[in-house]
Amino acid sequence: MAEHVLVTGAAGHVGRAVLALLAQRRVRVTALVLHPEAALPAARVVTGDACDPAVVADAMTGVDGVVHLAALPSPRLGTPEEVFTTNTRATFVVLEEAGRRGVRRAVIAGSYAAGGLPFAVRRQSPPYLPVDTATPLLATDPYALSKQVDEVTAAMMARRHEMTVVALRLPFVGDAAEKLPATAARYAERPESGAADVWSYLDTRDAARALALSLSVAEPGCHTLYVAAPETLSAVPTERLLDRYHPGVPRRRRLQGRTVPIDLEPARRVLGFTAEYVFPLK
């Protein structure tokens, strides 16, 4: 585990969970935030844009690990050009500055949305199920494309600087108090609303733990991994959901009960990660 970690996007929902977890583990943290924030559990807080090399270089002082979360997390949070260029520039700048300064371990917040389904301009189904990192990517929106480019950037930086970079394809991430109950209720009322996400999710605490575990990966190179809770956020059995909302899509194995239709084995193998917080459906 790194001894001094830079967390970009530290004021966000996942960023704060990462800060809390690293503080619990007594890891020194520098937090990079876009706007001034009070009372963040970090040894140092740097305010500025993750797209700015000077800001990032300053924030990188003394760091030996990076958790890169800063991004526009939806294609609806800016023009297509803003979403794509902001996300891809920030990832390039952060990893390039890390590599220049001898940082050899980094993790970036990729997204399940890189596959192209959640924000697609028209309804799509994956070519096969469960989804895995070999599944062809079907982006029709700038956010999905930005996340694809981020992964290519991570692979290039790993080669360029002989780094270890983990790109975690995170699903919908939420807390057990508000976001997960609300989404579960929506899926119960309208199961089709979860089809693009294959009803996947991850508790915020598990997201933070997966990101932290990624800094312990020793094998050089870029590792792209899906993480998610092992069960869907729908009470309906997975195979029944797929029959209804992704008909005709080939299945490479039977999905018992509410098993999430995403291949999570690589994350277990590389990170030793299995989600601990499974949302209890009523």
Side-chain angles (χ1 to χ4, degrees):
M1 183 67 187
E3 295 181 356
H4 185 174
V5 176
L6 169 63
V7 179
T8 74
H13 181 68
V14 176
R16 290 177 183 271
V18 171
L19 293 184
L21 179 61
L22 294 179
Q24 179 183 336
R25 296 182 178 181
R26 299 184 179 180
V27 176
R28 181 178 173 83
V29 175
T30 294
L32 177 58
V33 297
L34 186 58
H35 304 292
E37 294 284 339
L40 290 177
R44 182 176 180 229
V45 177
V46 176
T47 302
D49 195 334
C51 291
D52 186 335
V55 170
V56 174
D58 177 30
M60 205 71 66
T61 302
V63 162
D64 63 347
V66 173
V67 177
H68 175 50
L69 305 173
L72 293 174
S74 163
R76 305 184 184 101
L77 295 178
T79 67
E81 295 81 6
E82 288 169 341
V83 171
F84 178 77
T85 59
T86 297
N87 291 354
T88 55
R89 180 179 173 87
T91 298
F92 187 96
V93 168
V94 168
L95 293 181
E96 175 67 359
E97 290 299 326
R100 284 179 179 176
R101 289 169 176 268
V103 177
R104 291 295 171 261
R105 295 188 183 185
V107 54
I108 65 172
S111 176
Y112 165 85
L117 273 65
F119 301 111
V121 297
R122 63 191 64 83
R123 184 175 175 179
Q124 299 189 88
S125 289
Y128 59 82
L129 289 160
V131 172
D132 59 27
T133 54
T135 304
L137 305 177
L138 306 172
T140 59
D141 69 273
Y143 178 73
L145 182 60
S146 75
K147 289 302 175 180
Q148 292 179 28
V149 172
D150 281 354
E151 292 177 5
V152 176
T153 299
M156 184 277 285
M157 292 296 182
R159 292 188 296 270
R160 175 176 171 85
H161 297 294
E162 298 184 332
M163 300 171 66
T164 298
V165 185
V166 177
L168 288 187
R169 288 187 180 175
L170 297 165
F172 168 71
V173 176
D175 61 283
E178 295 183 10
K179 288 188 176 183
L180 294 182
T183 302
R186 175 163 55 86
Y187 289 175
E189 183 178 351
R190 295 185 295 110
E192 70 278 7
S193 67
D197 292 287
V198 291
W199 305 274
S200 61
Y201 76 97
L202 192 63
D203 187 286
T204 308
R205 294 165 291 183
D206 277 324
R209 190 167 59 87
L211 289 158
L213 280 170
S214 297
L215 294 177
S216 297
V217 176
E219 183 180 350
C222 180
H223 307 271
T224 299
L225 304 168
Y226 279 103
V227 288
E231 296 181 342
T232 69
L233 202 52
S234 170
V236 179
T238 300
E239 298 245 336
R240 193 187 307 171
L241 288 170
L242 298 179
D243 287 342
R244 176 67 178 85
Y245 299 108
H246 292 296
V249 175
R251 295 173 205 167
R252 296 189 166 185
R253 59 181 169 85
R254 183 168 178 78
L255 298 162
Q256 300 284 349
R258 292 171 42 227
T259 299
V260 69
I262 298 174
D263 183 9
L264 304 179
E265 181 55 34
R268 294 190 192 101
R269 184 177 66 253
V270 176
L271 302 181
F273 175 80
T274 300
E276 294 180 352
Y277 298 97
V278 177
F279 185 75
L281 293 178
K282 296 179 180 180

